[in-house]
Amino acid sequence: MTTLLDGRIALKHGAGGRAMRTLIQDVLLAGLGSGDWIGADQMDDGAAIRVGDAWLVITTDSHVVQPAFFPGGDIGRLAVCGTVNDLAMMGATEPLGLTCAVVLEEGFARESLQRVHESMRLACLESGTTIVTGDTKVMGRGEVDGIVINTTGVALTHTLVRDAGLHAGDRIIVTGTIGDHGLAVMATRHQLGIEGTLRSDVAPLNALVRTAMAAAPGAITAMKDPTRGGLASALHEMADKGRVGVVLEENALPVSDAVRGAAELLGIDSLHVANEGKAVIGVRADAADAVLRAIRAHPLGREAAIVGTCLAERPGLLVLDTGFGRRLIAEPEGEPLPRIC
Amino acid sequence: MTTLLDGRIALKHGAGGRAMRTLIQDVLLAGLGSGDWIGADQMDDGAAIRVGDAWLVITTDSHVVQPAFFPGGDIGRLAVCGTVNDLAMMGATEPLGLTCAVVLEEGFARESLQRVHESMRLACLESGTTIVTGDTKVMGRGEVDGIVINTTGVALTHTLVRDAGLHAGDRIIVTGTIGDHGLAVMATRHQLGIEGTLRSDVAPLNALVRTAMAAAPGAITAMKDPTRGGLASALHEMADKGRVGVVLEENALPVSDAVRGAAELLGIDSLHVANEGKAVIGVRADAADAVLRAIRAHPLGREAAIVGTCLAERPGLLVLDTGFGRRLIAEPEGEPLPRIC
């Protein structure tokens, strides 16, 4: 419902939480057509279009991270990995190619652009894809803050995975430690003096996902990457769409010491902090161990863990089991930090 | 060659002319891979990836036009048409779908976003496609000027057309009057008091191109839409890639009275001004009349004209025949006006 307070766009509308979902549903999806595709109205991380007997998966993201260079990566690596990962989350682990559209501020250093480009090139090599086409726009000084990069990716798959597929009884795997990206960017941006210990996890997950899918064909029921809004936001959306309750075991959650310390210092719950190299994977219970083993055998999945279970009760809700008791986790309104990706 | 003067990005690097081509070649294409696709290194308006016996064409553009609303259209219509047209220029006239990634400034009016969205919806209907997925980011006040929209489109085609395909003897068709978009935006932005007579030509050309291709199968040798940098920039690039000289007959060029008047007033050559609803089409001479007739029968092509001829001599050069004599037209360094699309 549009109210006067809703008359202007706020930072929360881009922050990956409830405010953004509502804006998209109320405004951006209004009146869009339907057809032989699974698209925007389903609000996966991408769309899937029928092409012969396969699905053409397509996904897009604009990247506005600030600062553009941070420990563990930069906006170029982030753009490539973000798009490769969104494809992978839908079961499309072999990108046909990516597009790259750059918006630059007049006066942006050419050397910085070269660094960003080199990061993109390396991240493409790492994920087995390439930039096939692009676009370059320049805005005047003060009209855009440095650099914005849009990457869009396409891939074919025969095994479409959705973020809505959780069933009661499914186990939830997280492929590694949580909160690394968001806290690394936050610490760098605000020069908190703890940057040395924090490092973004930004990485392409398509090979890891391929391994996981091959370990137990058909057993993966849902995937999502916990970016803006963190694990809490991703699991809320998955629980809501799958109409299951999710119980998360706090003690099972992989969190690095650096992130734990920084989160305590800042009074932020790492459950709500963005990741850029992690996946949340729903798996049938009987295949959970096999899938976990396969993920752990991959260099990016060494710290993967089974962290939760889906229930028929409390559909749409996320419950944290602390070991001492259980409490509901509210869906975050949005990521605590703007321009995290 | 990188010099000290080239150390920072200037407006010209996004302006569609020589400066932009050089930046892309020197920086953005460095070290990209190659494969079973025609891509960035060819610098068409998009890439084409082999999928079975067809080509998957993909093209991307970020739109930064200022102001976002102008006579004849707005940034939403521009984004959809720009992408539909880039696909069509490669012979892919039936888009499978578009992505839409919006970057908004905090405080942007929700009502304006709704207007933009409605324009996109209508332009999609007009071109027979839809938005299949999207992304929303918000930057703080003063971090981006209003709204930036990236659209990326995909389409399959069996008949790939390139912008490099001109041969000596081919005729050049322009599908209508030139300069309308750029001058309408310029007059509105600077409140020149002549806005009433100028109107952007922004429109989706895929149906018109389909008609043109069907009129003489195989006879169209090259296409390009003369956006940033105008007809001069598009023809320069086509002449350069096709290794032909192009002679343009000034008296044959369709120009509206409003554009002619405004261009004279401002001392700008409409040859260098952006269009958003026009195509430059190279056709084998024996089929030129048939293709022209088909284009003129389409509502968006009523003022189409044969405006030039390709020669084996002077490869890469563009020559204007004024009726009194001939003169070379230099490749523009870039569009005279920033943020025109």
Side-chain angles (χ1 to χ4, degrees), chain B residues 28 68-69 76 101 147 154 160 184 202 228 241 245 257 263 265 282:
Chain B
L28 298 173
F69 299 88
I147 182 170
V154 283
L160 192 65
V202 56
R228 282 178 287 178
K241 290 180 179 176
D257 290 343
L265 192 71

Side-chain angles (χ1 to χ4, degrees), chain A residues 132-133, chain B residues 35-40 44 46-51 54-58 90 155 157 160-162:
Chain A
V132 294
T133 189
Chain B
D36 200 8
W37 47 273
I38 295 167
D44 275 277
I49 303 166
R50 263 279 168 219
V51 171
W55 292 98
L56 179 72
V57 179
I58 181 165
M90 295 184 75
T157 185
L160 192 65
V161 181
R162 310 284 310 280

Side-chain angles (χ1 to χ4, degrees), chain A residues 2 6-11 13-14 20 23-24 26-28 30-33 37 39-40 46-47 49 51 56 58 60-62 64 96 99 101 103-104 106-110 113-114 117 121 130-140 142-145 148 150 152 154 156 228 339 341, chain B residues 2 6-11 13-14 20 23-24 26-28 30-33 37 39-40 46-47 49 51 56 58 60-62 64 96 99 101 103-104 106-110 113-114 117 121 130-140 142-145 148 150 152 154 156 228 339 341:
Chain A
T2 309
D6 285 327
R8 299 212 162 257
I9 299 299
L11 287 172
H13 289 116
M20 188 177 89
L23 176 75
I24 293 173
D26 290 358
V27 179
L28 297 174
L32 292 184
W37 46 275
I49 303 166
V51 171
L56 178 72
I58 180 164
T60 190
D61 267 305
S62 290
V64 298
L96 291 167
T99 66
V103 179
L104 295 165
E106 182 186 10
F108 192 79
R110 190 178 165 119
L113 183 61
Q114 275 165 324
H117 169 75
R121 195 182 68 78
T130 190
I131 308 289
V132 294
T133 189
D135 176 53
T136 311
K137 295 286 186 329
V138 180
M139 293 170 79
E143 293 178 348
V144 67
D145 183 17
V148 172
N150 178 282
T152 301
V154 284
L156 290 169
R228 281 178 287 177
R339 298 183 59 188
C341 63
Chain B
T2 308
D6 284 329
R8 301 216 160 254
I9 299 300
L11 288 171
H13 289 117
M20 186 176 90
L23 176 74
I24 293 173
D26 289 357
V27 179
L28 298 173
L32 292 184
W37 47 273
I49 303 166
V51 171
L56 179 72
I58 181 165
T60 191
D61 267 305
S62 291
V64 298
L96 292 167
T99 65
V103 179
L104 295 166
E106 182 185 10
F108 192 78
R110 192 178 163 119
L113 183 62
Q114 276 166 324
H117 169 74
R121 195 181 68 78
T130 190
I131 309 290
V132 294
T133 189
D135 176 52
T136 311
K137 295 287 189 321
V138 180
M139 295 172 77
E143 292 177 350
V144 65
D145 183 16
V148 172
N150 177 281
T152 302
V154 283
L156 290 169
R228 282 178 287 178
R339 295 183 61 187
C341 63

Side-chain angles (χ1 to χ4, degrees), chain B:
Chain B
M1 223 171 58
T2 308
T3 68
L4 278 178
L5 286 174
D6 284 329
R8 301 216 160 254
I9 299 300
L11 288 171
K12 66 179 179 179
H13 289 117
R18 188 170 44 192
M20 186 176 90
R21 285 172 73 191
T22 308
L23 176 74
I24 293 173
Q25 271 157 353
D26 289 357
V27 179
L28 298 173
L29 293 180
L32 292 184
S34 62
D36 200 8
W37 47 273
I38 295 167
D41 58 323
Q42 308 290 310
M43 296 180 74
D44 275 277
D45 292 327
I49 303 166
R50 263 279 168 219
V51 171
D53 64 344
W55 292 98
L56 179 72
V57 179
I58 181 165
T59 176
T60 191
D61 267 305
S62 291
H63 297 85
V64 298
V65 63
Q66 199 277 321
F69 299 88
F70 47 80
D74 61 29
I75 191 172
R77 181 170 174 82
L78 186 66
V80 169
C81 296
T83 295
V84 166
N85 292 350
D86 279 348
L87 292 174
M89 293 308 111
M90 295 184 75
T93 59
E94 295 181 15
L96 292 167
L98 309 183
T99 65
C100 169
V102 183
V103 179
L104 295 166
E105 182 181 13
E106 182 185 10
F108 192 78
R110 192 178 163 119
E111 191 203 343
S112 301
L113 183 62
Q114 276 166 324
R115 276 177 67 194
V116 168
H117 169 74
E118 180 63 8
S119 291
M120 296 188 82
R121 195 181 68 78
L122 292 175
C124 280
L125 274 179
E126 206 175 324
S127 47
T129 188
T130 190
I131 309 290
V132 294
T133 189
D135 176 52
T136 311
K137 295 287 189 321
V138 180
M139 295 172 77
R141 267 174 219 274
E143 292 177 350
V144 65
D145 183 16
I147 182 170
V148 172
I149 299 182
N150 177 281
T151 37
T152 302
V154 283
L156 290 169
T157 185
H158 287 92
T159 316
L160 192 65
V161 181
R162 310 284 310 280
D163 61 10
L166 291 180
H167 296 289
D170 289 351
R171 307 304 306 273
I172 302 287
I173 294 175
V174 169
T175 62
T177 57
I178 63 168
D180 301 81
H181 175 75
L183 281 167
V185 171
M186 193 181 310
T188 306
R189 187 188 304 172
H190 298 292
Q191 301 180 294
L192 299 180
I194 48 171
E195 300 90 291
T197 55
L198 292 164
R199 213 179 145 74
S200 168
D201 58 338
V202 56
L205 294 172
N206 56 324
L208 177 146
V209 168
R210 204 180 304 137
T211 303
M213 289 173 73
I220 290 179
T221 54
M223 286 194 280
K224 198 165 189 71
D225 53 344
T227 55
R228 282 178 287 178
L231 185 62
S233 201
L235 280 175
H236 255 289
E237 198 172 333
M238 293 169 86
D240 186 30
K241 290 180 179 176
R243 304 315 300 155
V244 295
V246 172
V247 177
L248 198 57
E249 291 157 47
E250 190 169 35
N251 297 329
L253 281 173
V255 184
S256 76
D257 290 343
V259 164
R260 197 181 301 276
E264 269 174 26
L265 192 71
L266 300 169
I268 290 174
D269 190 337
S270 53
L271 268 180
H272 293 147
V273 177
N275 310 273
E276 290 292 344
K278 300 293 150 48
V280 185
I281 303 180
V283 191
R284 280 202 330 258
D286 60 355
D289 287 334
V291 171
L292 181 65
R293 261 197 310 277
I295 292 171
R296 281 191 170 162
H298 189 280
L300 291 172
R302 285 197 199 109
E303 296 174 274
I306 295 174
V307 299
T309 306
C310 302
L311 310 175
E313 298 86 50
R314 307 205 185 197
L317 297 183
L318 178 60
V319 177
L320 188 71
D321 187 328
T322 62
F324 302 104
R326 291 182 167 194
R327 63 177 171 88
L328 276 184
I329 299 185
E331 182 177 8
E333 182 75 353
E335 166 73 32
L337 194 67
R339 295 183 61 187
I340 202 69
C341 63

Side-chain angles (χ1 to χ4, degrees), chain A residues 243-323:
Chain A
R243 304 316 298 157
V244 294
V246 172
V247 178
L248 199 57
E249 291 158 47
E250 192 168 33
N251 296 330
L253 282 173
V255 184
S256 76
D257 290 344
V259 164
R260 197 182 301 277
E264 269 173 27
L265 192 73
L266 300 168
I268 289 174
D269 189 337
S270 54
L271 269 180
H272 293 147
V273 177
N275 310 276
E276 291 292 343
K278 300 293 149 49
V280 186
I281 302 182
V283 191
R284 280 202 329 258
D286 60 354
D289 286 334
V291 171
L292 181 65
R293 261 197 310 278
I295 292 172
R296 281 192 171 159
H298 189 279
L300 291 172
R302 285 197 198 109
E303 295 173 275
I306 296 175
V307 298
T309 307
C310 302
L311 310 175
E313 298 86 51
R314 306 206 186 195
L317 297 184
L318 179 58
V319 177
L320 188 71
D321 187 328
T322 62

Side-chain angles (χ1 to χ4, degrees), chain A:
Chain A
M1 224 171 59
T2 309
T3 68
L4 278 178
L5 285 174
D6 285 327
R8 299 212 162 257
I9 299 299
L11 287 172
K12 66 178 180 180
H13 289 116
R18 189 171 42 191
M20 188 177 89
R21 285 171 74 190
T22 307
L23 176 75
I24 293 173
Q25 271 155 354
D26 290 358
V27 179
L28 297 174
L29 293 180
L32 292 184
S34 62
D36 200 8
W37 46 275
I38 295 167
D41 58 324
Q42 310 289 311
M43 297 180 72
D44 276 276
D45 292 328
I49 303 166
R50 263 279 168 219
V51 171
D53 64 344
W55 292 99
L56 178 72
V57 179
I58 180 164
T59 178
T60 190
D61 267 305
S62 290
H63 297 85
V64 298
V65 65
Q66 199 277 318
F69 299 88
F70 47 82
D74 61 27
I75 191 170
R77 180 168 174 83
L78 186 66
V80 169
C81 296
T83 295
V84 166
N85 292 350
D86 280 348
L87 292 174
M89 294 306 112
M90 296 184 74
T93 59
E94 294 180 14
L96 291 167
L98 309 183
T99 66
C100 168
V102 183
V103 179
L104 295 165
E105 182 180 12
E106 182 186 10
F108 192 79
R110 190 178 165 119
E111 191 203 345
S112 301
L113 183 61
Q114 275 165 324
R115 276 178 67 195
V116 168
H117 169 75
E118 180 63 7
S119 291
M120 296 188 81
R121 195 182 68 78
L122 292 174
C124 280
L125 274 180
E126 207 174 324
S127 45
T129 188
T130 190
I131 308 289
V132 294
T133 189
D135 176 53
T136 311
K137 295 286 186 329
V138 180
M139 293 170 79
R141 266 174 221 274
E143 293 178 348
V144 67
D145 183 17
I147 182 170
V148 172
I149 300 183
N150 178 282
T151 37
T152 301
V154 284
L156 290 169
T157 185
H158 287 91
T159 316
L160 192 64
V161 180
R162 311 285 307 282
D163 61 10
L166 291 181
H167 296 289
D170 288 352
R171 308 303 307 272
I172 303 287
I173 294 174
V174 170
T175 62
T177 57
I178 62 168
D180 301 80
H181 175 75
L183 282 167
V185 171
M186 195 179 311
T188 306
R189 189 188 303 172
H190 299 292
Q191 300 179 292
L192 298 179
I194 49 171
E195 300 89 290
T197 55
L198 292 164
R199 212 179 146 75
S200 169
D201 59 338
V202 56
L205 295 172
N206 56 324
L208 177 145
V209 167
R210 203 181 305 137
T211 303
M213 289 173 72
I220 289 179
T221 55
M223 285 193 281
K224 198 165 188 73
D225 53 345
T227 55
R228 281 178 287 177
L231 185 61
S233 200
L235 279 176
H236 254 288
E237 197 171 332
M238 294 170 88
D240 186 31
K241 290 180 179 173
R243 304 316 298 157
V244 294
V246 172
V247 178
L248 199 57
E249 291 158 47
E250 192 168 33
N251 296 330
L253 282 173
V255 184
S256 76
D257 290 344
V259 164
R260 197 182 301 277
E264 269 173 27
L265 192 73
L266 300 168
I268 289 174
D269 189 337
S270 54
L271 269 180
H272 293 147
V273 177
N275 310 276
E276 291 292 343
K278 300 293 149 49
V280 186
I281 302 182
V283 191
R284 280 202 329 258
D286 60 354
D289 286 334
V291 171
L292 181 65
R293 261 197 310 278
I295 292 172
R296 281 192 171 159
H298 189 279
L300 291 172
R302 285 197 198 109
E303 295 173 275
I306 296 175
V307 298
T309 307
C310 302
L311 310 175
E313 298 86 51
R314 306 206 186 195
L317 297 184
L318 179 58
V319 177
L320 188 71
D321 187 328
T322 62
F324 303 103
R326 292 184 167 191
R327 64 176 170 88
L328 277 182
I329 299 185
E331 181 178 7
E333 182 75 355
E335 166 74 31
L337 194 68
R339 298 183 59 188
I340 202 67
C341 63

